Amino acid sequence: MASLFTRIIDGEIPGHFVWTDETCVAFLTIAPITAGHALVVPRAEVDHWLDLDDDTAAHLMVVAKAIGAAQIDAFSPARVGLIIAGMEVPHTHLHVIPIDSERDLDFARATSPSPEALVEAADRLRDSLVARGHAEAAASRPSS
């Protein structure tokens, strides 16, 4: 059975995508710790990040770095945190989180924003990525 993230990637479940390429996607989590909290997810359904091939692992980090830089522009956090936990969904994913302190890396602080807030955060992050020259963000824009 396909993981939740594979179902999002395949369009069976809606997602707020901010990055799309041949190796991975990035979309906002529906339970963000802070606005703009994104997940970088390989298209290949690999449970544990240690089992990723080296090229995919490196690519995920490059994408996470691009998203983090765009989060700085879009949300003005003090830093951007990165967590690879993988306990809740058996599909590798990197949490890229705008933070103002280390307590913003606590999953117990996750929120349930409105659908409108998620759309706005995705638009802000996508716009920042596009402004930084990342066509992968433009490709992830929802169809009108």
Side-chain angles (χ1 to χ4, degrees):
M1 176 158 187
S3 78
L4 173 68
F5 291 157
T6 296
R7 293 178 65 208
I8 293 170
I9 292 166
D10 290 346
E12 293 175 32
I13 297 172
H16 298 281
F17 288 85
V18 297
W19 186 282
T20 303
D21 69 30
E22 291 181 5
T23 303
C24 72
V25 300
F27 49 83
L28 297 187
T29 175
I30 60 168
I33 297 172
T34 61
H37 177 167
L39 305 176
V40 179
V41 183
R43 289 181 180 276
E45 195 170 299
V46 176
D47 180 11
H48 198 289
W49 69 275
L50 292 175
D51 295 328
L52 292 169
D53 66 79
D54 291 346
D55 290 339
T56 300
H59 183 74
L60 295 180
M61 187 59 71
V62 169
V63 172
K65 183 178 175 190
I67 288 172
Q71 287 170 331
I72 295 282
D73 294 344
F75 302 101
S76 301
R79 298 269 185 190
V80 173
L82 180 66
I83 299 173
I84 306 174
M87 301 302 289
E88 63 282 358
V89 177
H91 190 146
T92 298
H93 54 288
L94 285 62
H95 292 263
V96 187
I97 310 167
I99 63 172
D100 289 317
S101 72
E102 287 182 359
R103 66 190 169 116
D104 289 334
L105 296 174
D106 181 355
F107 289 112
R109 296 175 56 93
T111 63
S112 296
S114 69
E116 296 81 16
L118 286 172
V119 167
E120 190 222 343
D123 286 345
R124 287 173 64 185
L125 185 51
R126 204 179 301 107
D127 289 348
S128 179
L129 284 160
V130 169
R132 289 176 153 273
H134 296 290
E136 301 86 353
S140 71
R141 284 195 190 281
S143 304
S144 304

